[in-house]
Amino acid sequence: MPEASAPHGALAEPGEPGYADATAVFNLAVKVRPRAAVVARTVDEIRSALETARSRGLRVRTLGTGHAAGSVRPLDDGLLVRPRLKGTVEVDAARRVARVPAGTTWGEVVQATAPYGLTAAHGSSGSVGVVGYLLGGGVSFYGRLVGLASNTLRAAELVTADGELLRADTELLWALRGGGGGFGVVTAVELDLLPVHRVLTGGSYWPIDDAFELLETWLEWTRHAPRRATTSWRVMNLPDLPGVPPVLAGRMVVTLDGAVTAATPRDLEAARGDLDDLLGPLYALGTPLMDTWQETGPAGVLEAHMDPPFPVPFIGDHLVLRDPGPEGCRSFLDAVGEGSGSPLAVATLRQLGGAFAEPGQVSAALASVDGHLAYMGSGPPVGPVTAEDLIGHRSVVRRALGAWDTGRTIPSLVEAYGSPQRHLDERTALAVAGIRGRLDPEGLFGHDVGAGALA
């Protein structure tokens, strides 16, 4: 029987109407059980929630869709605020800017911007919330062209600990761009859009047998890849479940997916050539089991990674790596490939470099990423695979990739609060903490600060 609805803006405690909705997150492996929770649709509802938190002596946590709910510390004794602000995506095509209310997903942004030949540096899934992803860096399939998604943040509005609605000034905007949270409840953002004429996007899936040759060939391509291309290489071991293509179900495969962007009609022929340069040597090594590459509009990029559109349980880990070379390729496959006993459903190497490695046009706390690849590995604790299996395998992968681990991480890719993580250098972390302290001297949002942002 569906849960009874709570009045708009009303705080709900366990067992009360609205509590289940206010605490529901995408990652079902994470149990979010605060003392109270509220879905806030207006600035006044946020202010009221903060006043209640102060009067009860509760810390405040904010969550959007909850895809990265496992990356933040538990909040068993606090108040959870879920901003779902009224309004729609507003597109200023002439300025190439979108205004997005908190609670909006990337699918909604892509749908609103595509008719103008524009898109955003969004995530691989349309169900991911804009604000959390954007403030946490954001590694997009357009990222080698435009850099971290947080660098596209041009303005933000937020309610601070004292209830004031602010439009972020230059200093605060610098801190919001990857600074690790804890500044207030963001109610809306404005972000730069990029022109897109067509996108070549999709994926190729091969049997695991030729994994080493495929991985080494792809890695060689990444060292000289054009900026219009951002790709990822994955080992996938998907269960035989509804929604999983039969040719991939119940078997281990390797996958190359991503996007090659043609910003204008003039760029399309060059983009097609870049895709041929990428796929030709890989196809020469073996015929894919399945191939979904296509020439499409921006919405097609949301389908390329085959992320689940509905909530699922998963436990994962993340590293930023230097170029691993052939030795690292072998070590990676020994840890997650055939015969490894890996419990992971997906082990990903996401291509960095290009604009990811550069500060971009704006000043940001997390301006760039010094690494060649981002590793992400995850799996669902279901069936014969337990949470302990997945957590234990983190150390296996970390040992295998330790020689190439930069020690840095990207906030939006972190899945586990207790895993080693570092987003900011000490000097930047201290500067961000100073801004946070001036806005929230009593630490009302202290539990909202990411572990990787601490000095």
Side-chain angles (χ1 to χ4, degrees):
M1 185 173 180
E3 181 197 32
S5 298
H8 282 190
L11 267 64
E13 297 187 0
E16 294 182 344
Y19 185 83
D21 177 48
T23 58
V25 294
F26 189 88
N27 185 354
L28 300 180
V30 179
K31 303 302 180 186
V32 179
R33 294 291 181 266
R35 184 88 59 84
V38 60
V39 175
R41 296 175 175 83
T42 67
V43 169
D44 283 343
E45 289 175 1
I46 294 171
R47 286 178 172 139
S48 177
L50 299 186
E51 289 173 5
T52 300
R54 282 193 297 271
S55 68
R56 295 188 187 180
L58 302 176
R59 295 287 186 94
V60 175
R61 160 74 44 73
T62 60
L63 278 178
T65 57
H67 281 70
S71 67
V72 294
R73 74 183 76 186
L75 189 65
D76 297 335
D77 60 347
L79 169 64
L80 177 64
V81 178
R82 304 296 294 275
R84 295 178 190 164
L85 274 289
K86 296 177 181 178
T88 59
V89 178
E90 300 173 12
V91 180
D92 185 333
R95 295 169 57 227
R96 284 195 236 166
V97 172
R99 185 182 188 277
V100 183
T104 305
T105 65
W106 281 119
E108 294 171 275
V109 173
V110 171
Q111 184 178 20
T113 57
Y116 301 96
L118 301 169
T119 196
H122 58 76
S124 58
S125 170
S127 65
V128 169
V130 171
V131 170
Y133 172 94
L134 194 65
L135 301 186
V139 179
S140 167
F141 274 140
Y142 301 107
R144 286 176 40 78
L145 196 59
V146 300
L148 289 169
S150 51
N151 284 339
T152 69
L153 176 67
R154 63 181 300 138
E157 298 163 17
L158 68 164
V159 179
T160 57
D162 60 4
E164 184 179 359
L165 177 63
L166 291 182
R167 185 175 175 88
D169 59 16
T170 301
E171 183 181 58
L172 177 54
L173 200 57
W174 170 84
L176 286 168
R177 293 179 179 129
F183 305 101
V185 182
V186 174
T187 60
V189 293
E190 292 178 13
L191 55 138
D192 289 319
L193 303 173
L194 60 145
V196 174
H197 169 62
R198 299 291 282 170
V199 186
L200 310 178
T201 187
S204 300
Y205 303 78
W206 289 269
I208 193 67
D209 310 67
D210 298 322
F212 179 77
E213 290 78 9
L214 289 163
L215 175 54
E216 195 175 26
T217 300
W218 171 74
L219 187 61
E220 172 58 30
W221 173 85
T222 66
R223 298 180 184 121
H224 313 286
R227 292 191 174 213
R228 62 169 60 93
T230 305
T231 60
S232 65
W233 196 95
R234 297 184 287 171
V235 175
M236 304 179 73
N237 193 6
L238 302 179
D240 188 0
L241 293 174
V244 176
V247 72
L248 306 181
R251 66 187 298 178
M252 188 172 278
V253 299
V254 293
T255 307
L256 183 282
D257 61 17
V260 184
T261 306
T264 70
R266 295 190 305 275
D267 300 321
L268 185 54
E269 201 58 40
R272 290 169 177 161
D274 291 337
L275 184 61
D276 289 341
D277 290 343
L278 166 61
L279 295 179
L282 297 172
Y283 288 168
L285 294 172
T287 302
L289 297 165
M290 186 173 85
D291 198 312
T292 64
W293 288 93
Q294 60 178 323
E295 184 179 309
T296 184
V301 178
L302 294 173
E303 307 299 324
H305 213 52
M306 289 199 343
D307 287 339
F310 45 80
V312 293
F314 56 91
I315 293 174
D317 201 11
H318 159 58
L319 306 166
V320 173
L321 306 172
R322 290 179 282 273
D323 188 336
E327 182 184 355
C329 291
R330 179 62 67 192
S331 187
F332 175 69
L333 291 173
D334 286 346
V336 304
E338 189 174 29
S340 66
S342 169
L344 300 176
V346 182
T348 301
L349 297 174
R350 176 68 67 89
Q351 182 186 6
L352 298 176
F356 281 126
E358 301 169 355
Q361 302 299 312
V362 299
S363 178
L366 180 64
S368 59
V369 181
D370 184 14
H372 193 71
L373 303 171
Y375 162 76
M376 299 91 77
S378 66
V382 297
V385 176
T386 66
E388 290 72 22
D389 293 333
L390 292 161
I391 293 169
H393 198 69
R394 290 175 185 164
S395 59
V396 174
V397 176
R398 284 180 172 271
R399 284 195 299 270
L401 297 177
W404 302 278
D405 182 7
T406 66
R408 295 287 179 171
T409 47
I410 302 168
S412 62
L413 299 182
V414 172
E415 297 290 357
Y417 181 76
S419 293
Q421 50 181 298
R422 171 62 65 194
H423 316 323
L424 308 177
D425 60 53
E426 185 172 357
R427 181 178 178 180
T428 302
L430 288 171
V432 170
I435 297 169
R436 188 182 294 120
R438 289 193 290 277
L439 285 172
D440 184 17
E442 297 179 359
L444 184 68
F445 293 102
H447 280 35
D448 238 6
V449 182
L454 302 175

